[in-house]
Amino acid sequence: MIRKIIKINEEKCNGCGACAAACHEGAIEIINGKAKLTREDYCDGLGDCLPSCPMDAITFEEREAPAYDEAAVLAAKAQKESSSEPLACGCPGTQSKVIQRENDSCGAPFAPAKSQLSQWPVQIRLVPVNAPYFDGADLLVAADCTAYAYGNFHDTFIRDHITLIGCPKLDEGDYTDKLSEILAVNDIRSVTVVRMEVPCCGGIENAVKGALQKSGKVIPWRVVTISSDGKILRQVPR
């Protein structure tokens, strides 16, 4: 029969697994690092997976395909629920978690610097909007190059913050909508934006500004600009 069904562009797909997690019918699997529609008869054609894809790799098409088999989907769900094996939920890198660290302030003189990262994931595209660690958080939104340019990035910026990173030049699309959702549904106390001095890095600052306006909340925020040789050029409260 001719019907509407999803189409996955494997060239765009980054294998994050978000679509597989969003597909309630279990029609999508991650195989060899790419999302694949493995059961056409499980795809209902409603497209819950489309908005979950950070790469816009999923679209609709109308073509010859088996009819949606709701009975088979329900049977597969029941079998998974009764199984003792863990369910497939896409890429492990998208699973939200809090990182607990011991407070060790009396380490050896030349001990390696400790990470201050307190949550996972950190990519803006991958982080769940309603992750529990957002509640009451001071949010850090950073261009990914800043952590490489500024040597003491963890202690200066990541410490006591929930960290989100991205690259406005290389990532497709705009972060504004995702960030506005995070701000709207969570009790965010403050936002720190850390960007590089290069003009293209203004995209991450503009995304935060737009997200704050779209969320309708008044939240204190500041912008810190880092030079390519690793200096703090300016810190501007907004």
Side-chain angles (χ1 to χ4, degrees):
M1 64 180 295
I2 303 295
R3 71 180 184 94
K4 185 169 72 172
I5 196 167
I6 67 161
K7 179 180 180 181
I8 301 173
N9 185 330
E10 293 190 13
E11 291 185 0
K12 288 187 175 182
C13 176
N14 66 358
C16 72
C19 60
C23 179
H24 305 298
E25 291 72 31
I28 302 173
E29 296 181 39
I30 306 300
I31 300 175
N32 296 327
K34 296 289 184 178
K36 296 184 183 295
L37 178 60
T38 56
R39 291 295 302 259
E40 294 184 350
D41 57 332
Y42 282 16
C43 178
D44 59 10
L46 297 178
D48 287 345
C49 55
L50 268 70
S52 71
C53 178
M55 305 304 294
D56 293 325
I58 307 176
T59 56
F60 283 122
E61 65 176 346
E62 288 196 7
R63 62 173 173 82
E64 183 72 33
Y68 172 57
D69 191 342
E70 184 177 11
V73 170
L74 293 175
K77 286 183 179 180
Q79 183 176 3
K80 286 183 177 181
E81 289 173 359
S82 63
S83 172
S84 59
E85 296 181 1
L87 298 178
C89 57
C91 172
T94 66
Q95 296 176 11
S96 175
K97 65 179 179 180
V98 174
I99 302 171
Q100 300 290 345
R101 300 192 185 277
E102 295 181 3
N103 183 14
D104 183 6
S105 59
C106 55
F110 298 102
K114 288 191 174 182
S115 172
Q116 298 299 324
L117 190 66
S118 62
Q119 102 286 342
W120 187 264
V122 295
Q123 288 282 351
I124 297 172
R125 300 292 189 198
L126 299 182
V127 68
V129 169
N130 57 351
Y133 44 70
F134 282 129
D135 190 35
D138 292 303
L139 192 63
L140 169 66
V141 182
D144 49 16
C145 291
T146 56
Y148 293 93
Y150 189 72
N152 202 32
F153 193 84
H154 274 247
D155 280 340
T156 304
F157 297 112
I158 294 181
R159 182 191 291 273
D160 299 325
H161 285 74
I162 294 302
T163 302
L164 300 180
I165 67 169
C167 177
K169 182 176 178 67
L170 299 181
D171 290 348
E172 293 186 6
D174 185 5
Y175 304 126
T176 303
D177 289 342
K178 180 69 173 286
L179 290 172
S180 66
E181 286 186 72
I182 292 172
L183 295 173
V185 303
N186 297 287
D187 179 24
I188 302 296
R189 298 191 304 181
S190 69
V191 182
T192 296
V193 180
V194 184
R195 54 164 293 183
M196 296 298 295
E197 62 179 325
V198 294
C200 60
C201 230
I204 206 159
E205 179 181 344
N206 291 333
V208 171
K209 181 179 180 180
L212 285 164
Q213 294 172 341
K214 193 171 182 180
S215 72
K217 292 186 175 181
V218 178
I219 300 173
W221 67 295
R222 64 177 178 139
V223 179
V224 182
T225 303
I226 307 294
S227 68
S228 56
D229 60 352
K231 297 182 179 68
I232 295 178
L233 294 180
R234 53 189 171 272
Q235 302 187 54
V236 182
R238 300 299 191 186

